[in-house]
Amino acid sequence: MPNDVISAVRDELTAHVDEATKNSYNRFFKEEVSFYGVKSATVGKIAKRFFADIKDRSEDEIFALCEELLQSDYTEEAFIAFDWTDRLHRNYRPSDFETFERWILMYVNNWAKCDTFCNHTVGSFVEQYPKYVQNLKTWTQSDNRWLRRASAVTLILPARNGMFLDDVFEIADLLLQDNDDLVQKGYGWMLKEASKAHRQQVFEYIIDKKAIMPRTALRYAIEKMPDDLRRTAMQRDTKK
């Protein structure tokens, strides 16, 4: 018998299906995606409301509820699971990394799940336990496209705050010529966020790599730079 909290969450999602949202959902994904069609703001409110009912349970119990949600494959249920894990960030333990890695491998199957989980939960974990940045570097070599994207998007918020610059460059190097456009967009986004605190260093990195950096990644990386720097970065070296 499903957990009462899980059943209540699913009933609430079903009650808030929005036909316009449902009809537009597939525009955002190349993959086949399972979804109810609930507005993201509504999903956030549902997550917050039901977390109040479980917040006094142990981390292991809450993680078990999250995994039950993830097993359904519904994107909105994954968003709620990842909202709950993020709310536990002050209590993360080093052993949680293994759980997070397993969840990416087993349950993350589109960019929205990847980014929601990694930007917040996994990013917060790495800020607390910086040695695990080395594990992100091993993800860059995975056959799993979402684990490779995760290696970059996990550092989005830390990089925006000026952290892990050397690791950002190393991960970008490891992903530099990845053929997957969603991985290219992921590390380009990571570089863009790093440029907010370290514009000159990131610009110099891009200039050094632009001859071999895929255009998709390059455009993402320079998106927030001044016009003159963007023009310089987009110029191909015709002397080679």
Side-chain angles (χ1 to χ4, degrees):
M1 179 177 176
N3 185 288
D4 288 345
V5 173
I6 301 299
S7 296
V9 165
R10 290 171 175 161
D11 288 345
E12 196 74 7
L13 287 169
T14 301
H16 285 86
V17 169
D18 176 77
E19 287 303 319
T21 300
K22 188 174 183 178
N23 293 334
S24 69
Y25 222 95
N26 279 322
R27 293 205 320 264
F28 301 105
F29 303 96
K30 295 179 181 178
E31 308 79 22
E32 186 170 331
V33 178
S34 299
F35 54 88
Y36 289 84
V38 180
K39 292 180 179 179
S40 58
T42 303
V43 175
K45 290 176 183 176
I46 292 170
K48 181 179 180 180
R49 179 149 58 84
F50 281 97
F51 186 78
D53 296 333
I54 64 170
K55 62 183 175 63
D56 294 327
R57 301 191 190 189
S58 70
E59 183 188 87
D60 289 339
E61 288 179 288
I62 295 174
F63 276 14
L65 292 173
C66 292
E67 185 142 14
E68 191 170 344
L69 289 169
L70 291 170
Q71 287 168 353
S72 76
D73 196 38
Y74 277 91
T75 298
E76 291 95 337
E77 291 191 32
F79 288 172
I80 291 171
F82 298 152
D83 178 281
W84 290 354
T85 60
D86 185 46
R87 291 177 187 273
L88 296 172
H89 68 271
R90 291 185 179 86
N91 302 315
Y92 291 158
R93 307 160 296 188
S95 58
D96 292 335
F97 188 84
E98 186 177 335
T99 298
F100 298 157
E101 182 177 58
R102 179 173 60 81
W103 285 358
I104 296 170
L105 286 167
M106 293 183 66
Y107 305 119
V108 169
N109 52 16
N110 63 60
W111 62 262
K113 289 181 183 178
C114 184
D115 297 356
T116 300
F117 186 42
C118 294
N119 284 180
H120 300 286
T121 296
V122 189
S124 293
F125 176 91
V126 169
E127 285 195 32
Q128 291 179 49
Y129 300 104
K131 71 176 185 179
Y132 282 89
V133 171
Q134 299 305 314
N135 296 68
L136 303 185
K137 295 168 189 175
T138 67
W139 290 1
T140 67
Q141 305 306 302
S142 174
D143 291 336
N144 183 300
R145 72 189 304 196
W146 305 116
L147 208 58
R148 299 200 311 278
R149 182 176 171 98
S151 70
V153 300
T154 291
L155 294 184
I156 293 297
L157 297 182
R160 183 184 298 169
N161 293 324
M163 301 172 67
F164 299 119
L165 183 62
D166 289 342
D167 301 297
V168 164
F169 290 149
E170 188 172 344
I171 288 170
D173 277 345
L174 291 164
L175 296 174
L176 194 64
Q177 293 185 287
D178 195 294
N179 291 325
D180 192 311
D181 69 318
L182 287 173
V183 176
Q184 294 170 14
K185 290 174 181 177
Y187 84 76
W189 182 19
M190 175 184 65
L191 289 169
K192 174 174 66 177
E193 296 303 325
S195 75
K196 293 176 180 177
H198 300 286
R199 179 194 291 168
Q200 188 59 34
Q201 294 98 314
V202 173
F203 178 70
E204 289 172 1
Y205 174 86
I206 291 167
I207 293 301
D208 184 54
K209 306 292 184 180
K210 70 173 186 173
I212 57 173
M213 183 183 289
R215 211 71 162 170
T216 296
L218 180 61
R219 287 195 181 100
Y220 266 71
I222 65 175
E223 186 179 7
K224 296 298 183 181
M225 289 189 177
D227 289 346
D228 58 332
L229 298 187
R230 289 207 310 273
R231 284 194 297 271
T232 300
M234 290 300 291
Q235 290 171 356
R236 289 301 195 189
D237 189 350
T238 57
K239 297 178 181 179
K240 293 184 179 182

